[in-house]
């Protein structure tokens, strides 16, 4: 097994949901955590809890992954002790709206493309050369079942997550011959703030997403990220598709009520 003790794990979008759960799992594995998101108060709350619970060594910084200059500047400004990142979890992401393409809101499309595709690219482009130079690194992308199968009204969100699948494969190909490992986790329904964000704060609509079924939790996904990152160095898990037992595809959900 690869030990993550004192290794630096960088997680984008660590202020809630899957990202916050990943922070907890990697803290328990003894990693040093580099956590970022836009909401600094939420980020600090996550970090403080893990410092108290696991005596974790954590460095936080606010980052909007959509802003290329901000991404460059934030990583360039890291103290030397935080520069040698061993694991990058590209988790920051979101869906906005759910409408037929012909009724789609262009601002929502741009936000999804800028965050899920361009943001992931900016961060990876910044960190991958260092990983290659040190011949050590693991890029774990959080994709989605929406990147494996398209569903009605999912159009642009699905396209961004298909892009994440393609980029995962592409990065694996482009780093062949190095020790870099590349993975994507493609979850189905996970109960986080995702649906509340998707429906612009409409809590009732968000809650309906998980009604009558048992969704995955952020911890379920983080557990998989921890497993992937700790396999022996010669083992690269490329792609994990994980859904609740109550789900068999993006639109196939068993609801008891
Ligand atoms: P949450 O809304 O709970 O978390 C999303 C995280 O992304 C937050 O920490 C948010 O932080 C961060 N984020 C959003 N936009 C930006 C940005 N521009 N720059 C930096 N950080 C950003 O949802 P999830 O935990 O569910 O989502 C995490 C990932 O999992 C996403 O990529 C999502 O697509 C994917 N996913 C989710 C599924 C689900 O059903 N929940 C299923 C499959 C995949 P902040 O707002 O503070 O910046
Ligand atoms: C989130 C899962 O099916 O709501 O990526 O798009 S889904």
């Amino acid at each position: 097994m690869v030990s993550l003790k004192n290794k630096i794990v960088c997680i984008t979008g660590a202020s809630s949901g899957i990202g916050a759960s990943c922070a907890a799992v990697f803290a328990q594995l003894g990693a040093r955590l580099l956590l970022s998101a836009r909401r600094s108060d939420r980020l600090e709350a996550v970090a403080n809890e893990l410092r108290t619970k696991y005596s974790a060594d954590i460095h936080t910084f606010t980052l909007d992954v959509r802003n290329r200059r901000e991404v460059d500047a934030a990583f360039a400004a890291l103290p030397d002790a935080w520069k040698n990142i061993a694991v990058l979890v590209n988790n920051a992401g979101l869906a906005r709206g759910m409408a037929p393409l012909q009724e789609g809101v262009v601002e929502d499309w741009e936000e999804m493309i800028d965050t899920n595709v361009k943001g992931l690219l900016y961060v990876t482009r910044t960190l991958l050369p260092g990983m290659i130079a040190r011949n050590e690194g693991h890029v774990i992308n959080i994709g989605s079942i929406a990147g494996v199968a398209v569903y009605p009204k999912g159009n642009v969100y699905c396209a961004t997550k298909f892009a994440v699948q393609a980029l995962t494969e592409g990065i694996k190909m482009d780093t062949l011959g190095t020790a870099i490992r590349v993975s994507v986790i493609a979850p189905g329904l996970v109960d986080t703030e995702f649906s509340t964000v998707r429906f612009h704060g409409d809590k009732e609509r968000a809650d309906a997403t998980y009604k009558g079924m048992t969704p995955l939790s952020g911890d379920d996904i983080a557990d998989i990220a921890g497993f992937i990152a700790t396999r022996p160095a010669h083992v690269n898990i490329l792609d994990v598709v994980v859904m609740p037992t109550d789900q068999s595809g993006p639109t196939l959900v068993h609801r008891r009520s």
Side-chain angles (χ1 to χ4, degrees), residues 143-146 151 157 161 187-189 194 198 247 250:
S144 170
I145 184 72
Y151 55 85
Y157 179 67
K161 291 299 183 175
L189 293 169
F194 176 85
R198 172 172 229 167
Q247 185 176 23

Side-chain angles (χ1 to χ4, degrees), residues 1-10 31-32 81-88 124 126-140 171 175 177-182 229-234 236:
M1 278 195 19
V2 164
S3 168
L4 292 176
K5 192 135 190 64
N6 296 324
K7 295 286 182 188
I8 300 173
V9 175
C10 173
R32 300 170 61 216
W82 286 96
K83 283 199 193 294
N84 293 348
I85 293 159
V87 179
L88 164 62
T124 308
T126 303
L127 298 187
L128 197 53
M131 289 181 170
I132 293 169
R134 293 187 298 278
N135 205 30
E136 177 190 55
H138 196 156
V139 178
I140 301 177
I171 299 164
T175 55
T178 74
I180 310 305
R181 298 192 288 174
V182 191
T230 52
R231 289 315 86 206
H234 68 286
N236 187 111

Side-chain angles (χ1 to χ4, degrees), residues 13-19 37-39 63-66 91-94 115 142-144 157 161 187-190 192-194 197 210:
S15 59
S16 73
I18 294 170
R38 293 167 303 177
R39 292 170 296 175
L63 180 66
D64 184 335
V65 297
R66 294 173 297 176
N91 164 77
L94 80 181
T115 311
I142 306 299
S144 170
Y157 179 67
K161 291 299 183 175
L189 293 169
V190 189
T192 62
E193 294 173 18
F194 176 85
V197 171
Y210 313 107

